[in-house]
Amino acid sequence: MARREIGAGTKVLSFAAIGTPPQDLKYRNEPTRCEVGPKCLIREGVTIHRASVGGGGVTRVGAGCMLMAQAHVAHDCILGEGVILANNVMLGGHVLVGDGAFIGGGAAVHQTVRIGRLAMVSGLAGVTNDIPPFGYVFGLPARLVGFNKIGLLRRGASRDQLRTLRLANNLLFKDPGEFAAKIEQAATRWPEEVLVQEVLDFVRDMTRRRQLVRPGRMAAPELGGVDEENGDGT
């Protein structure tokens, strides 16, 4: 069985290394895998390591991803479709990245972190905890400062959905109170709101190995794409 598969239409530029052994001292050349989906763009110097024996046996990059120059995808990472890693992004082992997420240049993501669908990570962020779907994080350590309004609008979300999502995010991540109770309050208040329910499913996942990212504020608003008043990543 081939240890590396690259999908049709994927472009791999100079000095990229795909499917090389994991940087794991426990690895003894076991037959693990690396898969890159179709129609991806893998730029210069990107490294994507195949899986270790401590994960699911495969490192996977989904269809239509763009990995900019010098980005690193460590062993056992799973990237969904349409993920963008900007220059010099570093993903530790076993990181899960949801569809359409964007990770800014020079950001470092700790091993076993989950990044939800359409989340946005600012450049140079240090991510040590899970980021919920649509969340926008900034800083070192990364803090949740808003949500990816523009990304949601581009994918067909309505203004009403965004207003509801903002209310739910404020309840979950800003309002005082016990977190489990706030989860149930949000579930009861917005049972038919699919974006809210997606966030709730993510934070309820008891298999997670990291805590959720903490809320915060941008220390220098002029440096990032977020509306401080409304908490909207742009």
Side-chain angles (χ1 to χ4, degrees):
M1 179 183 294
R3 294 189 176 185
R4 177 181 63 194
E5 291 186 6
I6 299 177
T10 285
K11 297 180 180 179
V12 181
L13 275 69
S14 303
F15 307 111
I18 300 175
T20 48
Q23 297 177 135
D24 184 340
L25 293 175
K26 301 184 296 299
Y27 184 72
R28 295 293 183 269
N29 205 36
E30 292 88 352
T32 57
R33 294 174 51 74
C34 174
E35 299 175 0
V36 177
K39 298 182 179 179
C40 292
L41 178 57
I42 311 299
R43 292 297 305 243
E44 301 88 344
V46 166
T47 51
I48 307 172
H49 291 172
R50 64 178 179 264
S52 70
V53 294
V58 62
T59 301
R60 180 177 294 115
V61 175
C65 292
M66 179 180 182
L67 279 55
M68 299 186 196
Q70 308 298 326
H72 173 64
V73 178
H75 59 85
D76 302 283
C77 288
I78 304 293
L79 278 60
E81 296 185 358
V83 171
I84 297 176
L85 306 185
N87 295 49
N88 300 298
V89 165
M90 297 169 286
L91 301 185
H94 306 271
V95 168
L96 305 179
V97 184
D99 293 350
F102 173 84
I103 304 180
V109 181
H110 197 285
Q111 63 189 24
T112 72
V113 160
R114 298 180 303 148
I115 297 176
R117 184 172 75 93
L118 286 178
M120 186 164 65
V121 178
S122 73
L124 302 179
V127 181
T128 58
N129 292 311
D130 290 353
I131 302 170
F134 327 120
Y136 176 64
V137 302
F138 174 89
L140 180 65
R143 292 291 182 255
L144 185 68
V145 296
F147 68 98
N148 187 6
K149 171 183 175 181
I150 300 302
L152 285 162
L153 286 172
R154 287 173 177 169
R155 287 161 178 81
S158 69
R159 296 284 179 177
D160 286 341
Q161 285 180 305
L162 295 183
R163 281 190 287 269
T164 301
L165 182 60
R166 181 184 299 123
L167 291 172
N169 280 347
N170 288 342
L171 169 63
L172 291 169
F173 303 115
K174 293 184 178 180
D175 291 353
E178 198 269 326
F179 192 62
K182 292 194 291 183
I183 291 174
E184 295 312 311
Q185 182 179 347
T188 301
R189 185 173 176 183
W190 298 292
E192 305 300 326
E193 293 291 338
V194 293
L195 300 182
V196 174
Q197 293 301 320
E198 184 172 344
V199 173
L200 295 177
D201 288 344
F202 185 95
V203 301
R204 283 170 167 159
D205 186 353
M206 300 306 295
T207 66
R208 66 178 184 267
R209 299 167 68 178
R210 297 265 161 199
Q211 296 184 356
L212 289 171
V213 64
R214 295 181 180 180
R217 293 179 64 85
M218 293 181 69
E222 69 276 10
L223 297 180
V226 68
D227 178 339
E228 278 281 355
E229 179 180 354
N230 295 321
D232 297 340
T234 58

